[in-house]
Amino acid sequence: MTRERLAYLSLGSNMGNKLYYIVSAIQRINITNGVRVSKISSFYETDPWGVRDQDSFYNIALEIKTTLLPFELLRNLQKIETELSRKREFRWGPRTIDIDIIFYDDLKIGIEELTVPHPRYRDRNFVLKPMCEIYPHNELLLKYMKRDSSKIKKIIPKILVSSCLLGENCNYKGGNNKNNLLIKLENSVSYIPVCPEVMGGLETPRIPAEIKNNKVITKENSDVTEEFNRGATLALGKALENNCTLALMKGKSPSCGLGEIYSGDFTGKLVEGDGITAKLLLKNKIDIIPV
């Protein structure tokens, strides 16, 4: 069996919905074969480095446990950057997402394609500050912070989230869909939990429902569209009240699903479409990551 090794990553974004890109990257890293996210730092907002005439960055650091070799890990991280529309137009320019390997165990690699430890981490507080929170040898990092005088501040982003993903027993079966990655992220963000179906007046547990012909119909053929719409409106109100720009929603759900939902015939078949709440959030420019 291949031994797991510790690696430390630095993530940054300064284009579009920065929070969306960073959380999307964290999720994709965590579901990469041979990789699991073990620690997540706080979020920081930082001045741009290198090229000053661009928007500020959001930055975060991750500890991962991986069975991938360094170059395998690099290839997978570059693939995630491409999936999230990363374009390398010029050095140190704006980007939707940047993922750097800072440390990989105690290995030292020094070639053009990959240098580990990262060659410039000592000069960058946007790497050092988040990394100090999760790196076991952070005394080695603290002494470098005085080199960089750029502004950096800790922030606590607010994220709308399906309550069942945090372990609340509110899904239609009366259970939950607890997601361990979201639990790890809980110390870095402020969650605004919602269950649109319960907020709309439906009980827990409840008869399963799916969308068919633009109506939400239960397996017993009752129309619960009104309840789903009411819950969606209340969930949107929570998002707007808290200035949320991102929602983490339970995938495939008739309320929270994004991109694909159950077909309406209760056979487990998936079709293209969005849930009632997801549609309303998107209409109000709140990005969604299905979980």
Side-chain angles (χ1 to χ4, degrees), residues 4-38:
E4 276 191 331
R5 295 176 181 269
L6 284 177
Y8 292 86
L9 311 179
S10 175
L11 283 68
S13 172
N14 78 330
M15 292 179 68
N17 189 335
K18 306 168 195 178
L19 185 60
Y20 168 82
Y21 286 117
I22 288 183
V23 176
S24 292
I26 294 171
Q27 182 192 41
R28 291 170 192 234
I29 290 166
N30 192 61
I31 62 174
T32 297
N33 287 335
V35 179
R36 60 190 176 97
V37 173
S38 45

Side-chain angles (χ1 to χ4, degrees), residues 17-125:
N17 189 335
K18 306 168 195 178
L19 185 60
Y20 168 82
Y21 286 117
I22 288 183
V23 176
S24 292
I26 294 171
Q27 182 192 41
R28 291 170 192 234
I29 290 166
N30 192 61
I31 62 174
T32 297
N33 287 335
V35 179
R36 60 190 176 97
V37 173
S38 45
K39 292 181 183 177
I40 304 173
S41 78
S42 302
F43 278 82
Y44 287 83
E45 185 171 17
T46 69
D47 280 350
W49 195 93
V51 177
R52 296 292 185 181
D53 187 19
Q54 55 181 313
D55 198 7
S56 63
F57 277 79
Y58 281 4
N59 290 98
I60 199 166
L62 303 181
E63 177 190 86
I64 63 170
K65 295 182 179 180
T66 182
T67 57
L68 300 181
L69 296 175
F71 287 95
E72 293 176 314
L73 178 60
L74 177 64
R75 297 280 182 270
N76 278 278
L77 297 179
Q78 289 173 335
K79 180 183 177 186
I80 291 170
E81 288 181 332
T82 299
E83 290 170 349
L84 293 174
S85 304
R86 166 71 188 271
K87 295 179 181 178
R88 290 172 169 81
E89 296 181 349
F90 58 91
R91 193 180 192 192
W92 299 327
R95 68 217 68 177
T96 55
I97 191 68
D98 186 28
I99 311 171
D100 287 329
I101 302 172
I102 307 302
F103 305 110
Y104 184 102
D105 262 3
D106 56 358
L107 288 186
K108 293 184 178 180
I109 303 170
I111 63 173
E112 183 177 354
E113 189 176 8
L114 178 63
T115 302
V116 176
H118 192 282
R120 289 175 296 278
Y121 82 91
R122 296 175 182 86
D123 303 314
R124 298 173 168 182
N125 278 349

